[in-house]
Amino acid sequence: MSIALALARAAHLASLLILFGSESVQALFRAQIPNPPVIPLPASTPIWLAALALATAVLWFFLAAGMMADSAMPLGPAAIWTVAKDTLFGRVFLVRLALLALLLIVVIRWELHSLRIALVGAALVAIALTSHAAARGDPRFMLARAANDSLHLLAAGFWIGGLALLVPLVRVNRNTPKALLAPLQLFSSWGMAAVALLIVAGSINAWLILHGAPAGVSLAYAGLLAGKIVLASLMVALALSNRLGLLPELGKDPNASAASLISSTLAELILGLVIVLIVGFLGTMSPLMG
């Protein structure tokens, strides 16, 4: 069940991160570029992402409730209601469920992009309330720790979701690479700020989770966390290579750098999704030994 729970968490996070980032970056393009690029994605993409987020949130809750239920109380309506009303995870889930249901209605019926961003952002912030980082330490500062984790998630969403938007955009415009200059330069500038915030907030999260662990840190947890850090470092290296190497070359010799830009952006996105998968598993594990 723990593997199923980890996969449900990863799929839920991926859908929310991609939806948040893609909506945010499109809003940025509309606000900052006089003739914003047409994104070559089906109009139904936000609907599918919102539906996946809602379905995996429900699956996540039921799998987690099954693990929480006492052996004397088999998983059923009574146990599910007990988890929903008597645990922080359950109460936060009910709020997330309402946000995600409203999000799905909004993306189906209206082109209200600001409301979409607000709802999916709120759903990501709600996840942080029950994270390992929020739970560690003095209860009086739980909201401050959750706020830091929220910044981590929102920055990750902007970066990963933005990449999910850029991959098809770069691929479709590979024969007219000059059309990519404005959106790529804009995303690169904002993306570097998101990466910086991601690194700072992530480092604080790691310190909050691992610092002063009375029984020591679980080797399995530490190993996965180390893998996440290595992959994140590769993502940062690719982002810097794109900004400092490929983007300047795109302005000088568009045809020579377009193919490299496609592969580099796709590699960056794949690394990001693998990190989300690792995060799915980290959330189901105790960071402490024993």
Side-chain angles (χ1 to χ4, degrees):
M1 184 180 287
S2 60
I3 294 178
L5 177 58
L7 294 176
R9 293 182 79 257
H12 182 71
L13 284 170
S15 60
L16 287 181
L17 293 172
I18 292 173
L19 185 54
F20 177 79
S22 60
E23 288 286 343
S24 298
V25 171
Q26 286 185 83
L28 182 64
F29 287 170
R30 287 191 294 269
Q32 298 292 324
I33 301 176
N35 295 306
V38 176
I39 306 301
L41 286 174
S44 61
T45 299
I47 297 174
W48 286 109
L49 288 171
L52 179 61
L54 179 59
T56 50
V58 174
L59 180 60
W60 177 355
F61 173 76
F62 276 94
L63 290 172
M67 297 180 70
M68 293 179 188
D70 190 88
S71 58
M73 180 185 288
L75 185 62
I80 291 171
W81 178 240
T82 297
V83 172
K85 69 182 179 67
D86 292 342
T87 67
L88 176 62
F89 171 78
R91 292 190 292 270
V92 170
F93 164 75
L94 294 176
V95 173
R96 287 172 51 216
L97 186 65
L99 288 169
L100 293 170
L102 181 56
L103 174 66
L104 183 57
I105 293 170
V106 169
V107 298
I108 289 174
R109 299 199 58 177
W110 301 292
E111 293 286 330
L112 299 175
H113 297 285
S114 296
L115 183 56
R116 291 181 184 184
I117 294 169
L119 288 171
V120 73
L124 283 170
V125 169
I127 292 174
L129 291 171
T130 55
S131 65
H132 285 321
R136 289 279 290 147
D138 192 327
R140 292 175 298 175
F141 302 108
M142 187 269 283
L143 289 179
R145 295 191 297 271
N148 178 75
D149 198 26
S150 298
L151 292 176
H152 185 67
L153 287 171
L154 294 174
F158 183 88
W159 191 10
I160 293 174
L163 289 170
L165 203 69
L166 291 181
V167 167
L169 182 65
V170 172
R171 181 180 58 82
V172 167
N173 289 278
R174 61 187 178 277
N175 295 323
T176 55
K178 285 189 176 180
L180 296 170
L181 274 175
L184 287 178
Q185 288 172 345
L186 185 60
F187 175 74
S188 179
S189 298
W190 283 75
M192 285 297 101
V195 168
L197 180 59
L198 189 67
I199 292 171
V200 172
S203 299
I204 294 173
N205 272 350
W207 183 85
L208 289 171
I209 293 169
L210 302 179
H211 178 70
V217 178
S218 163
L219 292 180
Y221 188 93
L224 273 182
L225 183 60
K228 175 191 170 186
I229 292 171
V230 169
L231 293 179
S233 300
L234 289 175
M235 280 189 75
V236 172
L238 281 172
L240 289 173
S241 174
N242 289 342
R243 178 172 176 79
L244 302 178
L246 291 179
L247 271 183
E249 286 300 315
L250 191 65
K252 298 175 185 176
D253 187 2
N255 295 323
S257 54
S260 297
L261 191 59
I262 293 171
S263 58
S264 178
T265 306
L266 180 60
E268 205 175 332
L269 175 61
I270 291 171
L271 285 172
L273 293 176
V274 174
I275 290 172
V276 173
L277 179 61
I278 291 174
V279 170
F281 279 88
L282 286 173
T284 67
M285 303 165 62
S286 171
L288 306 182
M289 189 177 293

